[in-house]
Amino acid sequence: MQTKRNVVQFDTGRDIEDEDLAASPGARTRQKLLLVVLLVVMLSTLLFLDAILPLAGFWFHTALLTQTGSWALLPTHIFFPGWAVTSSVSSLTPTPPSIALSWLQIPLLIMSMLLVFLAYAFALHRVPLSIINYRSILYSTLLLGLLCILVPVVTSSDIYSYISYARMGVIYHLNPLTTLPTAINNDPTFVHLYWSSQPSAYGPTWVAISSLLQWLTLPFGRQSLLPMVLALRFSGLLAHVCSTLLIWSITGQLQ
């Protein structure tokens, strides 16, 4: 007795293509509109976080953007008019906030981070894969990243350590891997440092990269730190975009 088996094969690629072709123009338009709306929502949540970070209760360190004007604090003034901002944006010797003020404002920070996460989770769940492509990934990453570059504070002062070690090599011709920042205590970076009693712990590769950026920003002024802050932020965004596109390329090959 012979048993016949009927093997049914599904052409996954053709099925997906047929579904795309079957989708009406109106449905495609609604899907693209949903993508735009979700991007606006994510931008809004990041803007809200941008407004909260400079508040006085958190005592985050200045990113020096206010040297170009008060526009950097515009989100804070819009969402929280009349509220005090961290003293680091206006003073080289900032004073810490009261513990009571910090506890009062911490719920705002938690809420803003939760909103960012919820917006991301909702987009991950609701955006159809059929409308996600190379351009949408690239443009959204750039747009969200540019907004992050404009945050007027830094949550860690390590960025000034990067700049200090880079300036050691480029301006003062010292070896940042063996020299303490105290050797350049008259440099404008010194007042921003937290780690001032140890040489660079970031290794020669990062020292070389940051030194190159410092050399490129020297035409903007030897005493100005803002160009280097922006150079590091833009280089971070570039690295993030490249890694995002790399992941997109790899996952595309795996599908």
Side-chain angles (χ1 to χ4, degrees):
M1 179 182 296
Q2 293 182 348
T3 303
K4 294 183 179 180
R5 295 182 179 179
N6 294 326
V7 179
V8 180
Q9 295 181 344
F10 294 95
D11 189 341
T12 306
R14 179 172 295 179
D15 290 342
I16 296 175
E17 183 179 356
D18 291 342
E19 288 178 4
D20 290 340
L21 291 175
S24 65
R28 298 283 294 179
T29 301
R30 288 193 297 271
Q31 289 176 348
K32 291 181 179 179
L33 181 61
L34 174 63
L35 184 63
V36 173
V37 170
L38 287 175
L39 180 59
V40 171
V41 170
M42 295 184 73
L43 284 170
S44 300
T45 58
L46 277 180
L47 192 64
F48 185 56
L49 178 61
D50 183 356
I52 290 174
L53 290 175
L55 291 177
F58 304 116
W59 203 38
F60 289 131
H61 203 75
T62 178
L64 303 178
L65 292 179
T66 51
Q67 291 182 355
T68 62
S70 60
W71 61 267
L73 294 172
L74 187 59
T76 303
H77 295 324
I78 291 176
F79 283 99
F80 307 101
W83 288 38
V85 297
T86 175
S87 58
S88 68
V89 301
S90 58
S91 174
L92 293 178
T93 56
T95 55
S98 65
I99 296 178
L101 179 61
S102 296
W103 276 110
L104 283 174
Q105 294 183 355
I106 278 179
L108 288 174
L109 183 61
I110 296 175
M111 181 179 66
S112 64
M113 291 183 174
L114 182 61
L115 288 174
V116 172
F117 172 77
L118 290 176
Y120 171 76
F122 185 78
L124 193 64
H125 178 68
R126 296 295 300 175
V127 174
L129 294 178
S130 59
I131 63 172
I132 298 178
N133 52 35
Y134 177 88
R135 287 188 300 175
S136 63
I137 293 292
L138 177 62
Y139 294 159
S140 60
T141 302
L142 282 173
L143 192 58
L144 295 170
L146 287 173
L147 182 58
C148 292
I149 285 177
L150 299 179
V151 174
V153 294
V154 293
T155 55
S156 170
S157 60
D158 283 4
I159 189 172
Y160 294 104
S161 292
Y162 307 155
I163 300 173
S164 177
Y165 296 131
R167 290 171 68 86
M168 281 185 191
V170 175
I171 297 177
Y172 300 99
H173 308 294
L174 300 172
N175 184 355
L177 299 176
T178 58
T179 306
L180 302 181
T182 51
I184 57 168
N185 56 8
N186 291 323
D187 189 80
T189 58
F190 192 77
V191 296
H192 300 284
L193 297 181
Y194 181 80
W195 305 103
S196 59
S197 58
Q198 68 175 39
S200 175
Y202 305 109
T205 301
W206 177 245
V207 168
I209 294 173
S210 57
S211 295
L212 174 61
L213 292 175
Q214 179 62 68
W215 179 75
L216 292 174
T217 57
L218 275 182
F220 296 98
R222 293 168 64 97
Q223 298 300 310
S224 179
L225 303 180
L226 179 57
M228 186 58 175
V229 171
L230 292 175
L232 286 169
R233 285 189 166 188
F234 275 106
S235 63
L237 176 58
L238 177 62
H240 178 58
V241 169
C242 290
S243 62
T244 300
L245 297 182
L246 178 62
I247 293 172
W248 170 262
S249 175
I250 293 173
T251 54
Q253 294 294 329
L254 294 177
Q255 289 178 353

